[in-house]
Amino acid sequence: MMGRVGRCSPLILSNHASIFWPRKDPILGWEGTLSSQQQKASTFLVGAVNDQVQQPSVRECLIWAVCGAGKTEMLFEGILTALRQNLRVLVATPRADVVRELEPRIKEAFPHTTVASFYGGVADRFAHGEITISTTHQLLRYYRNFDVVIIDEVDAFPFDHDPKLRYAVKQAAKSQHLTVFVTATPDSSMQSLAANGKLETVKVAKRFHGYPLPVPRFQWASGWRKKAKKAQVPSLVLDWLTTILSQKKQAFLFVPSIRLLELVLPTLKNHLDNVEGVYSEDKQRKEKVEQFRKGNIRLLLSTTILERGVTVKGVQVGVLGADDGVFTESALVQIAGRAGRSPEEPKGDVVYFHDGKTRAMVRAKRQIELMNELGNVR
């Protein structure tokens, strides 16, 4: 948006966002009930915000919550506490899809509060809000603006690979601020800090509906890559998809690359009805995801772009080529987390189709099993 910026380019800082605007006292319009584990995380966040108000400093904490734990609802009381103290709140995420999903939920939860949302292509690029929801890319527009910074899915691409985005988050926060990391799959460094007591952490090991996470199963699909390059789909993958669709269910099928998606999509369309594919550069990505949510698309092929932030009731999940290097441990855990998220359909089938088990596959399955074991401890 700014074009080329060199050392001699003037950059102008403005503090007009801090000008007082008339507002009603913030209220929480969400009237749901938190589970005991959700409540534990909510209380933890409220305490962290209050500590920041009483003794302003640079603080960090971690909410380590399994996929489908209901992370957004856990944040509401902490956000409300911050708003009542006139603190400016940021909810940042690496993915535009997640911003678009969070925006209506947060606006509904805080009906008296101004909410601004930023992602590539957003209509109002200069909006201001007491709550800001933004992709991490868009935070380059801010400097020393936020008191409470909540980073959802802190381990997600591209945030975990791009130092510029971490810089943007740091610069967007005020000199004294609270940073809250929220994720189901913290990286090894963050897990180590949590284990050693160097990062205040609360764990939520059970989904909000109380059912365990679906544990992925491994299915050998010999030569899947060679078949895909010939625009073919392994017969056992096609049989699995046919069975699911015949049961009037929907399915995600994740593939390792756009190229492979483009190769196998026509084949699947020839065999099955209501099939589409989506990837990062797809101009119809938003519309396709919405049609999938509505049930108009029965099978959605996707790259890892939809590994997070998309919830579809009763969806079954497959990964074609789970042994490919693009599918890291955290990506596989997140993908598995798409299944069984609804209390009406808390169980789901998750299949890693592979041509040889990888360490990432084994670790992802074990992480899910460990969280289920922890969630059963009372």
Side-chain angles (χ1 to χ4, degrees):
M1 183 182 77
M2 296 172 67
R4 180 175 176 177
V5 178
R7 285 187 178 182
C8 58
S9 301
L11 295 177
I12 300 172
L13 238 72
S14 168
N15 66 351
H16 69 284
S18 63
I19 297 174
F20 175 82
W21 62 82
R23 69 172 191 180
K24 298 179 180 179
D25 290 335
I27 63 167
L28 182 57
W30 183 73
E31 297 179 348
T33 303
L34 297 177
S35 69
S36 59
Q37 292 212 9
Q38 284 179 306
Q39 186 59 58
K40 180 176 68 172
S42 176
T43 302
F44 171 84
L45 179 56
V46 169
V49 172
N50 283 329
D51 288 345
Q52 181 65 17
V53 171
Q54 293 166 12
Q55 293 184 321
S57 63
V58 178
R59 282 187 170 83
E60 293 182 343
C61 63
L62 168 65
I63 298 178
W64 184 349
V66 298
C67 297
K71 292 191 288 289
T72 305
E73 290 75 14
M74 297 177 206
L75 302 176
F76 289 161
E77 284 290 346
I79 292 174
L80 182 64
T81 302
L83 292 174
R84 286 176 172 169
Q85 298 292 335
N86 294 318
L87 303 182
R88 198 175 296 273
V89 178
L90 166 68
V91 181
T93 176
R95 303 283 177 86
D97 301 280
V98 181
V99 174
R100 286 191 285 263
E101 181 156 306
L102 284 174
E103 181 180 12
R105 296 170 66 187
I106 290 181
K107 283 184 175 181
E108 184 178 4
F110 297 95
H112 291 178
T113 301
T114 54
V115 178
S117 298
F118 296 103
Y119 51 87
V122 72
D124 189 352
R125 296 180 300 176
F126 301 100
H128 297 296
E130 296 157 275
I131 301 174
T132 298
I133 313 168
S134 175
T135 60
T136 47
H137 285 84
Q138 296 293 319
L139 295 179
L140 289 166
R141 67 176 68 243
Y142 288 106
Y143 181 75
R144 299 289 182 259
N145 193 73
F146 300 105
D147 302 281
V148 177
V149 177
I150 300 169
I151 309 178
D152 190 22
E153 307 295 3
V154 65
D155 60 302
F157 181 86
F159 184 77
D160 62 335
H161 283 69
D162 192 342
K164 177 181 82 236
L165 300 182
R166 294 192 289 275
Y167 169 84
V169 172
K170 184 178 179 181
Q171 292 293 96
K174 291 185 178 179
S175 56
Q176 295 178 324
H177 64 276
L178 169 66
T179 301
V180 184
F181 303 112
V182 185
T183 182
T185 49
D187 62 24
S188 57
S189 174
M190 192 169 286
Q191 290 186 38
S192 178
L193 290 172
N196 294 327
K198 296 180 180 179
L199 178 63
E200 287 188 82
T201 303
V202 61
K203 285 186 179 181
V204 181
K206 185 174 282 190
R207 288 182 154 177
F208 75 96
H209 52 52
Y211 289 87
L213 299 160
V215 178
R217 57 188 179 90
F218 298 163
Q219 181 69 59
W220 190 45
S222 178
W224 66 264
R225 195 184 301 274
K226 289 182 179 179
K227 289 183 174 68
K229 288 180 179 179
K230 296 177 181 178
Q232 299 172 359
V233 179
S235 57
L236 56 87
V237 176
L238 191 57
D239 290 345
W240 179 75
L241 291 170
T242 302
T243 300
I244 288 171
L245 299 187
S246 68
Q247 296 170 348
K248 307 301 182 184
K249 294 183 179 294
Q250 291 175 267
F252 261 132
L253 184 65
F254 289 87
V255 295
S257 68
I258 297 174
R259 176 59 179 156
L260 259 64
L261 186 150
E262 292 173 335
L263 285 168
V264 302
L265 181 59
T267 302
L268 288 171
K269 284 188 172 183
N270 286 337
H271 286 86
L272 304 167
D273 296 327
N274 300 322
V275 180
E276 284 294 345
V278 66
Y279 51 92
S280 57
E281 303 302 321
D282 190 343
K283 294 181 179 179
Q284 293 183 300
R285 168 176 157 192
K286 181 180 177 181
E287 291 75 16
K288 288 177 182 177
V289 171
E290 186 58 32
Q291 289 301 309
F292 188 57
R293 283 199 180 100
K294 292 179 178 179
N296 297 328
I297 295 173
R298 306 303 298 170
L299 168 60
L300 187 62
L301 269 69
S302 175
T303 59
T304 55
I305 194 67
L306 293 185
E307 73 184 35
R308 305 161 189 257
V310 177
T311 300
V312 177
K313 179 180 176 181
V315 73
Q316 313 297 297
V317 179
V319 182
L320 176 58
D323 52 311
D324 189 278
V326 73
F327 293 116
T328 61
E329 175 187 347
S330 64
L332 290 170
V333 170
Q334 291 285 350
I335 286 170
R338 299 309 97 207
R341 298 173 74 95
S342 167
E344 290 80 21
E345 297 189 52
K347 298 179 181 180
D349 195 17
V350 179
V351 188
Y352 295 163
F353 296 101
H354 68 94
D355 196 9
K357 289 186 290 186
T358 62
R359 186 174 298 175
M361 290 168 58
V362 174
R363 286 180 172 176
K365 182 177 181 180
R366 184 57 184 149
Q367 184 182 148
I368 291 169
E369 291 172 336
L370 286 172
M371 277 299 192
N372 282 341
E373 291 171 11
L374 184 60
N376 287 328
V377 176
R378 297 187 181 276

